[in-house]
Amino acid sequence: MADYRKMWEDLGMDVETHDQLCEVLPQAFGDVYLSQENRPESMDYYNFVVAEIHGVRPAELIEHQKKGGKVFGTFCIYVPDEIVFAADAIATGLCGGSQFWVPGGEKVLPTNTCPLIKASVGARLDKTCPFFRIADMYVGETTCDGKKKAWEILAEDVPVHVMDIPQMKRAKDIKAWAEEITDFKKVVEEFTGNEVTAEKLGASIHMINEKRKALKRLYDLRKNDKLPISGKDVLLISQIAFYDDPTRFTQMTHKLCDELDQRVADGVSVFADGTKRIMLTGTPLAIPNWKIHNLVETSGGAVVCEEMCTGTRYFENLVDETKTTVDDQIQAIAERYMGINCACFTPNSARIDDIIRLAKEYKVDGVIDVNLKFCSLYDVEGYTVERALKEAGIPVLGIETDYVDSDAQQLRTRISAFIEMLNK
Ligand code: BJ8
């Protein structure tokens, strides 16, 4: 990474502690990613983004702030980026995916809190992530109990706006969600000093839809029998989608897809014929959480789809672009976002339908239901998920894990045995 020390110091970061993270990340990335054979050339862009993860994009965000722009940090795919970009602000994902930040979170949160929450709080309080320092306002949501309480702690340190997400999806809930988005628009307008007009909102809806379409194109390429790209690489791209410039990300992802189209035409695959096709479902995998993909793809399997927020939930369904008033556009945004099926809703049977549909579309041989430790929402829903898969005749393995590496060997044994069973 280039030298960004001065920038990090100016952001008030604990640069010495942050150095420890900078030392381990390249090694981990090299082991998991650069060791793969026959990677598409267009992955160079994403390699670069990761290599400069705490440098290039943070510098762009700071540049935006110097021109008077604001940056909003988000933690959930229900928060509509469209509103933020329509006010000439930038939205960036903030979920922490590294064990490095967990002890910092444990200083203020119970140990039995999900690692995603602990890492996110730790990254802020320990001052060891530039994105957490740069964001002018955090946008939380009322999804799970741990997050709801974490916002209160973070709000002592940084401005936080919390969006009240309904727990059900009846017509009155969707109406309430549209009202909540309208309130969010007002907060964003006041904070940025910029009005969200129908024209600007239309443009941002289009921009984010284009990003979704690029991701859908990438995912569709994984439906081929010969897989032109590894699951690990697609996971990395999904993770980068949360904080890269949306328009650039869309362009680079289409460039990659052009290369993958050629690979498909030439019958090129990064896996040997007959490699078992695995779908992952469950809690999100925030960067740099590559553990399960790495285990699957070094144990004789290929990950072909993720029914996750770092996966299909992020890009499936578009916002209707035909609306011409802000109210109608907000209604369209509310409807699209209420189509996301997170375990924080009850009932959540549409997620079960999604899982079965995706398993068929991606021709999977088996599904691994991955739960982050202490996420009771997905843990409890795992019962319904696994029962439905068994009823559909699709083999399933349920695992629980967190960000530490100490369970990797035990997980490898279980995942290898599962893939071996699929081979019989
Ligand atoms: S839409 S999955 S991003 S809430 S933080 S619920 S893992 S205990 S992240 Fe999520 Fe939005 Fe739903 Fe997706 Fe569980 Fe942890 Fe809570 Fe989590």
Side-chain angles (χ1 to χ4, degrees), residues 117-175:
I117 299 173
K118 287 190 288 197
S120 301
V121 171
R124 171 73 200 186
L125 300 187
D126 278 355
K127 306 182 170 70
T128 47
C129 174
F131 290 96
F132 279 81
R133 302 300 304 163
I134 291 168
D136 298 292
M137 177 182 271
Y138 290 6
V139 188
E141 9 63 42
T142 55
T143 45
C144 66
D145 290 351
K147 277 181 165 184
K148 276 188 269 196
K149 293 292 113 182
W151 310 139
E152 294 169 19
I153 295 170
L154 287 169
E156 293 174 5
D157 199 42
V158 59
V160 177
H161 173 72
V162 180
M163 296 188 76
D164 188 5
I165 294 194
Q167 311 284 291
M168 299 177 79
K169 292 182 180 174
R170 300 159 301 184
K172 65 178 177 182
D173 298 312
I174 297 173
K175 186 166 170 279

Side-chain angles (χ1 to χ4, degrees), residues 189-252:
E189 285 178 329
E190 261 168 42
F191 199 68
T192 60
N194 298 327
E195 191 192 347
V196 172
T197 62
E199 195 187 340
K200 283 186 165 180
L201 191 50
S204 73
I205 288 172
H206 179 70
M207 179 178 73
I208 305 294
N209 271 349
E210 289 302 305
K211 179 161 93 166
R212 294 187 181 112
K213 286 185 206 167
L215 282 164
K216 166 107 172 64
R217 182 179 171 203
L218 174 64
Y219 268 64
D220 280 348
L221 282 153
R222 304 166 85 190
K223 293 176 181 171
N224 284 289
D225 292 338
K226 290 200 182 283
L227 289 163
I229 186 166
S230 68
K232 274 194 256 194
D233 278 336
V234 177
L235 172 65
L236 185 69
I237 296 165
S238 294
Q239 292 171 332
I240 287 172
F242 283 78
Y243 62 91
D244 197 6
D245 173 77
T247 302
R248 179 176 56 208
F249 175 86
T250 300
Q251 283 166 357
M252 299 314 288

